[in-house]
Amino acid sequence: MKEKNNESAENYLETILVLSKRLPVVRSVDVANQLDFKKSSVSIAMKNLREKNHITVTDAGYIYLTESGKAIADMIYERHQLLTSCLEKLGVSAEIAEKDACKIEHVISKESFEAIKEYVKANIR
């Protein structure tokens, strides 16, 4: 199982990715609003992500994913989308499917996720 710290970083990176798809620029306040977190908590997380070279922040406060940050965000986002969709197809309500996918996406192994992905491709339309 991954450390909680890693899960948190993955959530932030995924949120930045999702926001960047619908906003012209992403700022800490946008991340805070999306996650319903205090801006101070988000600022600390952004500092940590910057130190790990997962994001860059401009002088104007615009947040951009680096190559490594985008790779992690894309992986988590793909897991989230597929797992949510699978759970809904199995009859789970959209709200619960979303919440459960959010938990599963961080702990599932690459091997298990790839197996689910292949199964879905072959069997579920």
Side-chain angles (χ1 to χ4, degrees), residues 12 17 22 54 59 68 74 76 86 100 110 114 125:
Y12 279 109
L17 177 71
R22 60 169 215 255
H54 292 321
D59 291 340
S68 68
D74 284 340
I76 295 299
C86 282
D100 286 348
K110 183 177 168 106
E114 290 301 321
R125 308 265 174 253

Side-chain angles (χ1 to χ4, degrees), residues 12-73:
Y12 279 109
L13 293 169
E14 181 186 20
T15 300
I16 294 164
L17 177 71
V18 169
L19 288 171
S20 71
K21 291 177 186 285
R22 60 169 215 255
L23 297 175
V25 292
V26 178
R27 299 160 303 147
S28 287
V29 67
D30 302 316
V31 176
N33 290 339
Q34 178 74 20
L35 295 173
D36 200 24
F37 289 170
K38 289 184 186 145
K39 189 158 176 348
S40 57
S41 300
V42 173
S43 293
I44 292 166
M46 294 304 108
K47 179 179 180 282
N48 292 336
L49 291 173
R50 225 176 25 249
E51 287 171 357
K52 291 178 180 168
N53 294 315
H54 292 321
I55 62 167
T56 58
V57 182
T58 67
D59 291 340
Y62 302 150
I63 302 166
Y64 295 97
L65 294 169
T66 62
E67 200 174 313
S68 68
K70 180 143 176 29
I72 294 166

Side-chain angles (χ1 to χ4, degrees), residues 101-120:
C102 204
K103 294 173 191 164
I104 297 167
E105 69 196 24
H106 301 287
V107 295
I108 192 169
S109 70
K110 183 177 168 106
E111 183 182 349
S112 292
F113 179 72
E114 290 301 321
I116 291 170
K117 195 161 99 173
E118 289 306 311
Y119 178 83
V120 167

